[in-house]
Amino acid sequence: MAQKKKNGLFAEYPNQYEKMSEEDLASCMDYAEDYKAFIDISKTEREFTKNAISAAEELGFVPVSSKKKLKSGDKVYESIKGKGLILAVIGKKMPSEGMNILGAHIDSPRLDLKPNPIYEDKEAVYFKTHYYGGIKKYQWTTIPLAIHGVVYTTDGKQHEIVVGEKDEDPIFYITDLLPHLAYEQMKKSANEFIPGEDLNVVIGGMPVRTKDKEKEKYKAFVLKYLNDNYGLVEKDFVTAEIEIVPSVKARDVGFDRAFIAGYGHDDKVCAYPALTALFDQERPEKTCVTMLTDKEEIGSYANSGAQSMLYENFLMELIAKTGDGKVDLLSYRKAIAASKMLSTDVSNAFDPKYASVSDPYNSAYMSRGIKLEKYVGSRGKSGSNEATGDFVAAITGIFEKNSIPWQTGELGKIDAGGGGTISAYMAKYGMDVIDAGVPVWSMHAPYEVISKADLYFTYLAYKAFIENI
Ligand code: MN
Ligand code: MN
């Protein structure tokens, strides 16, 4: 048993690097390699969706629209606007009897372009950005940045731009003030000393070489480059879904390689296990679903966020196509209410350097396994989905039975702050939902850290959940 109890009385949450068998350790290290390789090519929600679809198709998943009828063992998916994804493996029991759902998000904090982003100032050219999600703005200066995304021309054509990842690529950069002249800046609060309007990214510094007295020659060089290479003109940027992300690869941390630093562990470190746990299913008992949503970092709105009906339409389609082709509202609602879900999102790991913001008795620690969070929210649990006690018991029962190490905790000390996840949006249907995911150090930083042990056991936990709940 993972949670060995002294006389059965005391709860213990041991560090898994102390407990894990050599065999588990080897599998854990292998799984971490696969994860790193996947997130290195999946920095944005669009890239994650695309790569997840290719992996799914190799395993026999097909678009749900391509099937007239669905039966046990069928594997289907639907892309949600290319920025979210929902997949299912039909169980021996039909979806109308309730589904087992894993729900993660695949967007991460970053800088987006403003609709009119390009400007020239004193012979340098910049992209103006608008930050996306909760960031500490100063962390985004003086680090190598890459540009990922798409721009549309008025003919409807999509132009993909990815620059700053290959060794031979240029990178992009946000300057900061030299310490020699930062006397006034350093007196400001961290919230103020890099204002959002200053997160302007250097994208050029060479003029077009012409004899004419051209205005904005430096900007003209960049515009010409974008036109020559991508067929774009300045006005096209109003359509841009371009994300500025750190130009970093996921790397092991520490002599012993216990941890992984990476961009966007929140929430790819749960999305990847939620996806691979589903990939392991051939003919599960109940219908298993993984939803990978967009826009969680800004409230789960838009047609690709967890609040979008498009995810529900897919679930309705499963019920219709495993039945007589139709579904009425009441039977749909009843099927959803009979479903169970893990809201598979990260949470903070206790950081001894910043111990004062956490209650040490109610914190998750690195390498102690998946973190179960009965509730999230802030200021008196406000905005929280709170899981029912009997559902918590069902989950911990499954984890104990399958030797999955789990721990629990809150997101920091009372009134220190807080946060939310997608759990509440599904709970409103009467579904049992609980947050369960990987603890993270430096969450929302451009380069976050997780434990390989937690990643591996989270994957096993998700698998145990969908196979047994
Ligand atoms: Mn998250
Ligand atoms: Mn987040």
Side-chain angles (χ1 to χ4, degrees), residues 9-25:
L9 284 177
F10 286 80
E12 283 181 42
Y13 303 100
N15 187 301
Q16 290 306 309
Y17 285 125
E18 288 182 30
K19 309 289 284 184
M20 193 186 307
S21 67
E22 288 297 325
E23 211 183 347
D24 266 342
L25 185 61

Side-chain angles (χ1 to χ4, degrees), residues 114 143 173 175 193 234 249 268 294 324 357 361 373 409:
K114 287 197 181 194
I143 59 168
Y173 189 87
T175 59
F193 76 78
E234 186 175 14
K249 284 200 183 319
K268 285 146 188 135
D294 182 27
D324 61 1
V357 298
Y361 298 103
E373 248 172 320

Side-chain angles (χ1 to χ4, degrees), residues 43-237:
K43 288 191 173 176
T44 67
E45 55 278 13
R46 277 182 188 280
E47 291 164 353
F48 199 107
T49 299
K50 200 165 120 191
N51 295 325
I53 289 175
S54 325
E57 284 182 341
E58 268 181 41
L59 295 168
F61 284 79
V62 296
V64 71
S65 56
S66 71
K67 290 266 196 187
K68 282 219 168 69
K69 282 244 159 218
L70 291 172
K71 57 175 191 322
S72 169
D74 281 350
K75 300 172 178 181
V76 288
Y77 72 85
E78 181 155 320
S79 160
I80 307 294
K81 296 280 166 191
K83 294 184 277 190
L85 182 63
I86 183 162
L87 316 94
V89 180
I90 308 298
K92 291 176 195 150
K93 290 186 181 154
M94 291 299 109
S96 54
E97 295 177 71
M99 294 164 266
N100 295 346
I101 305 174
L102 298 169
H105 68 92
I106 51 176
D107 60 318
S108 301
R110 59 180 191 248
L111 308 176
D112 286 342
L113 291 195
K114 287 197 181 194
N116 190 24
I118 308 167
Y119 76 99
E120 173 184 324
D121 195 0
K122 306 286 179 296
E123 292 146 33
V125 190
Y126 300 88
F127 269 153
K128 288 173 90 61
T129 67
H130 195 139
Y131 68 96
Y132 173 98
I135 61 166
K136 288 175 155 180
K137 298 178 193 87
Y138 64 84
Q139 292 179 332
W140 290 75
T141 65
T142 71
I143 59 168
L145 298 169
I147 288 172
H148 290 236
V150 296
V151 183
Y152 294 85
T153 35
T154 44
D155 57 3
K157 207 176 152 213
Q158 187 193 74
H159 305 263
E160 193 176 6
I161 305 180
V162 181
V163 185
E165 294 294 344
K166 294 188 200 126
D167 284 347
E168 65 270 26
D169 278 356
I171 51 108
F172 304 90
Y173 189 87
I174 298 172
T175 59
D176 192 6
L177 197 51
L178 60 168
H180 315 62
L181 298 177
Y183 184 72
E184 288 303 320
Q185 184 200 39
M186 299 290 270
K187 286 198 288 198
K188 290 185 186 164
S189 78
N191 206 16
E192 291 166 339
F193 76 78
I194 303 288
E197 284 292 350
D198 284 2
L199 290 175
N200 299 323
V201 181
V202 175
I203 56 167
M206 240 187 230
V208 283
R209 294 161 81 87
T210 160
K211 294 211 173 88
D212 303 340
K213 256 204 156 178
E214 193 163 339
K215 258 183 27 185
E216 299 190 297
K217 289 189 281 194
Y218 291 77
K219 176 172 165 178
F221 189 104
V222 169
L223 287 176
K224 189 172 179 312
Y225 179 88
L226 291 169
N227 191 260
D228 291 347
N229 288 275
Y230 302 99
L232 300 173
V233 295
E234 186 175 14
K235 257 190 174 171
D236 293 329
F237 276 86

Side-chain angles (χ1 to χ4, degrees), residues 105 109 266 296-297 345-346 443-444:
H105 68 92
D266 179 6
E296 192 276 343
E297 296 296 355
D345 204 349
V346 299
M443 207 170 113
H444 281 209

